[in-house]
């Protein structure tokens, strides 16, 4: 059985005239990533690998998660192949993962994430928002053979913020 956690990078900052690859996170992006990473902790297996796109916003998102999960930054595997926006590239990457690892977290980009989830998951998601996460589980024991996954959980900043508002006392 394989567990895949796909995380879209936090909201990026468009205030500077820089290359897309170098775009940093906005303050809201940082706050949302902290919120999501705290929630995600309870859904991870004991052992997992972390992979990230080489884009600054994705690496910074992965570093925040690593900090919350008490994992050294050096253990984040950065790969330019994850700086992709189509699900076919993401699918090829995932299907080439080492089989010794049963749980993987990948920090990447849309439309790749949303389209991948809709191809391999059992529910339709219109859009995985920035800092959003989707946890999928596959019955297969080999990454190269994954198909017909089950979406175990979606973790979106908006949902967590709404839950926090709903749980606050009215007085």
């Amino acid at each position: 059985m394989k567990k895949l956690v796909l995380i879209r990078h936090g909201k990026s900052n468009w205030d500077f005239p820089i290359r897309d690859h170098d775009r940093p996170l906005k303050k809201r992006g940082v706050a949302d990533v902290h919120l999501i990473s705290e929630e995600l902790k309870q859904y991870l297996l004991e052992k997992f690998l972390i992979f990230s796109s080489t884009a600054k916003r994705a690496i910074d998102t992965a570093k925040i998660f690593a900090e919350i999960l008490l994992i050294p930054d050096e253990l984040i595997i950065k790969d330019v192949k994850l700086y992709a926006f189509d699900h076919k590239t993401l699918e090829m990457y995932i299907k080439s993962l080492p089989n010794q690892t049963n749980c993987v977290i990948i920090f990447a980009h849309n439309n790749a994430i949303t389209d991948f989830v809709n191809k391999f998951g059992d529910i339709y998601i219109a859009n995985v928002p920035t800092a959003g996460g989707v946890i999928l589980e596959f019955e297969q024991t080999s990454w190269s053979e994954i198909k017909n996954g089950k979406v175990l959980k979606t973790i979106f900043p908006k949902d967590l913020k709404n839950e926090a508002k709903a749980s606050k006392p009215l007085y």
Side-chain angles (χ1 to χ4, degrees), residues 3-9 40 44 48-54 58-59 61-62 65 76-77 79 81-84 89-98 103-109 112-113 116 128 132-134 136 143 146:
K3 185 181 271 191
L4 175 65
V5 181
L6 293 172
I7 307 287
R8 185 175 171 194
H9 62 77
L40 178 69
L44 294 176
F48 52 88
L49 289 178
I50 299 176
F51 295 87
S52 176
S53 159
T54 55
I59 291 171
T61 299
F65 269 82
I76 299 169
I77 301 162
D79 197 325
K81 292 177 194 159
L82 287 171
Y83 182 63
T89 303
L90 182 59
E91 177 182 342
M92 285 182 359
Y93 192 88
I94 292 166
K95 287 188 170 190
S96 71
L97 290 170
C103 184
V104 171
I105 305 172
I106 293 180
F107 295 88
H109 308 273
I113 290 176
F116 181 92
V128 175
V134 179
L136 295 126
W143 287 108
I146 61 166

Side-chain angles (χ1 to χ4, degrees), residues 144-164:
S144 65
E145 297 172 3
I146 61 166
K147 61 183 177 197
N148 305 326
K150 178 177 175 55
V151 174
L152 299 179
K153 180 79 176 163
T154 59
I155 305 173
F156 299 161
K158 182 179 177 182
D159 297 337
L160 294 177
K161 290 174 186 175
N162 288 340
E163 287 174 17

Side-chain angles (χ1 to χ4, degrees), residues 112-127 136:
I113 290 176
T114 298
D115 293 344
F116 181 92
V117 169
N118 287 330
K119 179 177 180 180
F120 286 92
D122 59 344
I123 62 170
Y124 175 78
I125 298 173
N127 179 53
L136 295 126

